Amino acid sequence: MRRIRAISAFPTLFTLGNLVCGFFAIVAASRIAKPGDTFVPVPSPKLDSASELFLSSDPTHNVMLCGTLIFIAMLCDMFDGQVARLAKVTSDFGAQLDSLCDVVSFGVAPGILLVKMCPQFTHIHPMGIWTIAAFYACCTAMRLARFNVETDDEDDHSSFEGLPSPAAAAVIASFAIFSYKVRNETNFANFEGFDWWLQRFMPLVALAIAMLMVSRIRYPHLVTHMIRGQKSFPQLVAMVFVIMAVLTVGEYAIPMLCVLYALTPPAIHGWRWSWRRRHLLHRKAG
């Protein structure tokens, strides 16, 4: 039996912060109003204290809170690996703990949020939303387990096989925050129409990103690409534009950026596969 002699404290605290955020995201999701509850839309609450942040009277506030906590968990997950590599204190313990925390924050929490966000999907199939959410959580666990088995210490972490679980969770969390923003900026009738489409659209999106997680499609590691090496001037302009867009209209820009990151590599992969197939058919025909 191998015993752990020492643990790097700073990266581990970030990893556990990821878990804590995932846990409270589940708590926030469990408090989302049940289908059929009647309520009148209220303006976005003034968050003057931590208690108001977690104890809002707005029934859909918990949707936004759950999505926000998932994003904070993403930041913790991003920093723990970077800090460990910079400090040269990576370990098997840290890798396994990170994956366990990721299953909670990026598998279970988004799955529960999906169920709470889309209760009307049961009109299409009684157990449809539950099945999709469970499938999403299973794909997250399998994707993380495959990553642990296939990744070695010499990997430069410049890309991933399959959609990373934090990016998949970001798609669901970003639409949760977006729906809260729409509800508090439009009248209830407009939000009702938007919510009708969202509840039928999001489960299909979750099903697609779940399958992308366990695919073999290559995805770039954005943080690694941003901090490593020199960038061209157009790349720098693009980075500044994205940052300004997020700071200015974050609730609208973030869902689009998340979906763009999730769908661009499959689109490129499909185009390349189609081009190679056509080229092969032309060679056989010739």
Side-chain angles (χ1 to χ4, degrees):
M1 180 185 294
R2 293 186 302 168
R3 294 185 179 274
I4 298 175
R5 300 298 180 184
I7 298 173
S8 181
F10 201 45
T12 302
L13 290 176
F14 275 108
T15 306
L16 293 177
N18 170 9
L19 176 63
V20 170
C21 289
F23 171 77
F24 280 113
I26 295 172
V27 173
S30 69
R31 289 166 25 188
I32 294 173
K34 295 179 180 179
D37 287 355
T38 57
F39 55 88
V40 178
V42 297
S44 181
K46 296 180 180 179
L47 306 179
D48 297 327
S49 65
S51 61
E52 289 181 350
L53 176 62
F54 289 95
L55 300 174
S56 170
S57 59
D58 186 349
T60 60
H61 177 79
N62 290 307
V63 175
M64 179 274 293
L65 179 59
C66 180
T68 302
L69 286 168
I70 290 173
F71 271 102
I72 297 175
M74 287 175 56
L75 292 177
C76 292
D77 181 65
M78 178 180 68
F79 284 124
D80 67 353
Q82 294 295 331
V83 168
R85 282 188 285 274
L86 288 174
K88 298 181 179 179
V89 290
T90 56
S91 64
D92 290 338
F93 172 83
Q96 299 302 324
L97 180 63
D98 183 69
S99 292
L100 291 172
C101 296
D102 286 356
V103 169
V104 176
S105 299
F106 309 131
V108 178
I112 295 176
L113 176 60
L114 182 69
V115 171
K116 290 288 190 173
M117 282 177 61
C118 307
Q120 293 180 18
F121 197 78
T122 55
H123 298 165
I124 300 174
H125 190 283
M127 296 297 294
I129 189 63
W130 294 87
T131 303
I132 292 173
F135 179 73
Y136 175 90
C138 290
C139 287
T140 303
M142 290 189 291
R143 191 250 180 274
L144 291 165
R146 185 183 70 183
F147 176 81
N148 284 353
V149 171
E150 296 183 350
T151 304
D152 53 33
D153 295 335
E154 297 180 358
D155 196 317
D156 61 356
H157 296 280
S158 61
S159 63
F160 301 103
E161 276 197 346
L163 178 65
S165 57
V171 174
I172 298 175
S174 63
F175 276 97
I177 298 172
F178 179 58
S179 67
Y180 175 80
K181 184 72 173 180
V182 170
R183 178 181 179 273
N184 283 274
E185 286 192 350
T186 61
N187 60 54
F188 185 64
N190 289 342
F191 174 77
E192 210 169 31
F194 167 81
D195 189 55
W196 189 94
W197 283 105
L198 181 71
Q199 294 199 40
R200 286 152 181 80
F201 171 72
M202 277 309 300
L204 302 179
V205 172
L207 185 62
I209 61 177
M211 290 188 289
L212 287 173
M213 276 194 287
V214 293
S215 71
R216 290 290 183 178
I217 298 173
R218 303 296 303 190
Y219 281 83
H221 192 311
L222 293 181
V223 176
T224 300
H225 283 283
M226 287 178 62
I227 66 177
R228 288 185 183 177
Q230 295 182 337
K231 308 299 177 187
S232 66
F233 186 75
Q235 288 175 322
L236 180 61
V237 172
M239 290 169 59
V240 172
F241 176 78
V242 170
I243 292 172
M244 295 306 297
V246 170
L247 292 177
T248 306
V249 287
E251 295 85 352
Y252 300 94
I254 292 177
M256 291 187 290
L257 293 173
C258 292
V259 171
L260 187 65
Y261 177 77
L263 297 184
T264 300
I268 295 174
H269 177 79
W271 183 85
R272 288 175 177 172
W273 178 85
S274 177
W275 184 87
R276 285 195 299 265
R277 184 175 177 82
R278 288 199 306 268
H279 184 68
L280 182 62
L281 291 174
H282 283 313
R283 288 184 61 182
K284 288 181 177 180

